[in-house]
Amino acid sequence: RVKEEGKNSFQFYTPDMNEAITKKMQLENALRKGLERQEFTVYYQPQVDVRTGRVIGIEALIRWRHPELGDLQPDDFIPLAEETGLIVPIGKWVLVEACRQNRLWQSMGFQPVRVAVNISSRQFQQSHFVEHVRRTLEETGLDPKYLELELTESIIQDSKYAISTMRKLKDMGVHLSIDDFGTGYSSLSYLKLFPIDSLKIDKSFTQNILADAKDTALVQTIIKIAHYLDLNVIAEGVETREQLQFLQQKLCDEAQGFFFSRPISVEEMSTVFREQLWVSINAEKHSG
Ligand code: C2E
Ligand code: MG
Ligand code: MG
Ligand code: MG
């Protein structure tokens, strides 16, 4: 490769590159088949109200059980799904699944929570995106106020389009949040323009709030900015009690992270809801 330079500068393809391309094509094929064969599942991670400790939301996170490759994490396949456009059908499936499951939990009598679904920019930019959200809510019977869409700063590339799409979603009653807040390259001015409900502090900040004075300052500032703008703020990646205590002191609204729970299966999430229901029934009995 490098040593060939000069002698044959038109050698674009090398054995290594071929191998990489082949691997990518295999994964792409596996992704398509995975959709057909229903190899994807959704895990849920609790989002907790830091004042009461109650689960008030859950985030839907995709998992892939491949028959040969085993369990794959989003970071292993979401980037390729975005590149190939397969994120559109995959994302559609996650949205339907998360709404259906959340509605099912509500019909089982559990305390209603909001389900947050990650939306890739590519999916958000589909011309039928708003219609798809509307239809999904109608077909699953989920009240729009129990759906949150997590968007990233990258949608700001086309801010006119983004604002009008967000407005339509807001008018429907759906909640909107900015995920991984502070890690993109966007300017703060979009906070003023975008009709959003909450900011999610990226876990790279949360994880260092007690170790790095700059992250401490950043997290405090993000919480203040959010509150000045009347936005809800949730910290992602909370792993320790000390981090939680810091966030409580700084009046962060919600927290999500391994300290409370890893992303868990539908069955495990049902258990969490069931336990929470018992706690609240007992609390009512004792107060009344
Ligand atoms: P995200 O939306 O920022 O999701 C949070 C990620 O942080 C999840 O990783 C979660 O498991 C992890 N996490 C939560 N709490 C902690 C913690 O305390 N410590 C640490 N170290 N990690 C924590 P996951 O499930 O691997 O997902 C990675 C990313 O993949 C997500 O980041 C999201 O951007 C993307 N993703 C996941 N599911 C979907 C989906 O259905 N659609 C799209 N478009 N993207 C998805
Ligand atoms: Mg997210
Ligand atoms: Mg993300
Ligand atoms: Mg995030």
Side-chain angles (χ1 to χ4, degrees):
R1 280 155 283 147
V2 179
K3 68 174 193 273
E4 302 271 2
E5 229 177 343
K7 194 178 118 200
N8 180 3
S9 50
F10 294 104
Q11 186 175 7
F12 293 119
Y13 292 98
T14 66
D16 273 6
M17 282 165 78
N18 273 329
E19 204 180 302
I21 291 167
T22 310
K23 255 188 139 172
K24 219 163 139 179
M25 280 165 62
Q26 280 170 346
L27 189 62
E28 186 182 339
N29 269 329
L31 270 175
R32 281 182 212 284
K33 289 215 182 96
L35 256 174
E36 280 168 34
R37 298 184 190 159
Q38 306 187 336
E39 291 166 2
F40 296 101
T41 54
V42 180
Y43 270 42
Y44 295 90
Q45 189 179 33
Q47 300 177 325
V48 171
D49 180 330
V50 301
R51 280 152 303 181
T52 63
R54 290 184 68 84
V55 177
I56 53 172
I58 51 180
E59 178 173 2
L61 294 158
I62 194 169
R63 296 291 180 264
W64 184 13
R65 295 236 164 89
H66 190 275
E68 286 110 46
L69 301 173
D71 287 357
L72 294 164
Q73 301 299 310
D75 291 343
D76 301 328
F77 62 90
I78 292 285
L80 184 66
E82 284 182 342
E83 206 183 300
T84 57
L86 283 169
I87 193 63
V88 175
I90 292 172
K92 272 187 174 179
W93 177 81
V94 173
L95 184 69
V96 172
E97 186 55 25
C99 290
R100 189 196 60 76
Q101 184 59 54
N102 199 28
R103 177 74 189 96
L104 183 63
W105 274 319
Q106 293 179 6
S107 67
M108 288 164 77
F110 297 140
Q111 178 227 346
V113 298
R114 190 176 293 136
V115 66
V117 178
N118 292 284
I119 303 297
S120 101
S121 306
R122 203 145 168 190
Q123 195 184 355
F124 183 81
Q125 275 148 13
Q126 291 286 305
S127 55
H128 298 300
F129 180 65
V130 173
E131 255 332 287
H132 180 252
V133 173
R134 192 191 310 278
R135 207 155 5 93
T136 302
L137 288 166
E138 273 167 19
E139 286 171 6
T140 59
L142 184 71
D143 185 327
K145 72 177 176 197
Y146 294 122
L147 175 64
E148 176 171 311
L149 302 178
E150 292 192 4
L151 310 169
T152 56
E153 292 172 39
S154 60
I155 61 152
I156 292 140
Q157 285 156 3
D158 184 354
S159 67
K160 262 213 182 105
Y161 172 80
I163 293 169
S164 87
T165 305
M166 289 167 110
R167 263 264 83 82
K168 289 177 199 154
L169 294 162
K170 284 297 311 160
D171 289 346
M172 226 185 275
V174 170
H175 277 244
L176 301 176
S177 61
I178 301 290
D179 201 358
D180 309 331
F181 180 74
T183 59
Y185 293 100
S186 51
S187 79
L188 282 176
S189 62
Y190 80 83
L191 286 178
K192 181 173 80 174
L193 302 170
F194 283 7
I196 52 171
D197 301 283
S198 54
L199 296 184
K200 292 194 77 174
I201 301 175
D202 190 68
K203 58 178 176 292
S204 61
F205 301 123
T206 311
Q207 284 173 345
N208 289 322
I209 41 181
L210 298 158
D212 182 330
K214 287 184 181 159
D215 285 318
T216 315
L218 280 174
V219 169
Q220 270 179 268
T221 308
I222 295 172
I223 295 171
K224 280 194 181 143
I225 291 177
H227 287 163
Y228 281 137
L229 296 174
D230 231 356
L231 302 173
N232 203 55
V233 58
I234 171 163
E236 185 172 80
V238 178
E239 293 185 355
T240 69
R241 198 188 177 89
E242 289 72 29
Q243 289 166 353
L244 174 65
Q245 279 167 342
F246 175 88
L247 294 164
Q248 281 171 323
Q249 272 169 24
K250 301 302 172 195
L251 306 177
C252 187
D253 303 295
E254 289 171 46
Q256 176 182 349
F258 295 172
F259 178 64
F260 301 101
S261 168
R262 286 177 176 266
I264 51 182
S265 68
V266 165
E267 292 72 31
E268 291 169 305
M269 196 65 232
S270 302
T271 304
V272 171
F273 286 140
R274 199 168 294 116
E275 279 164 4
Q276 185 157 283
L277 191 63
W278 276 113
V279 171
S280 64
I281 287 172
N282 283 327
E284 263 171 50
K285 256 202 319 227
H286 291 299
S287 71

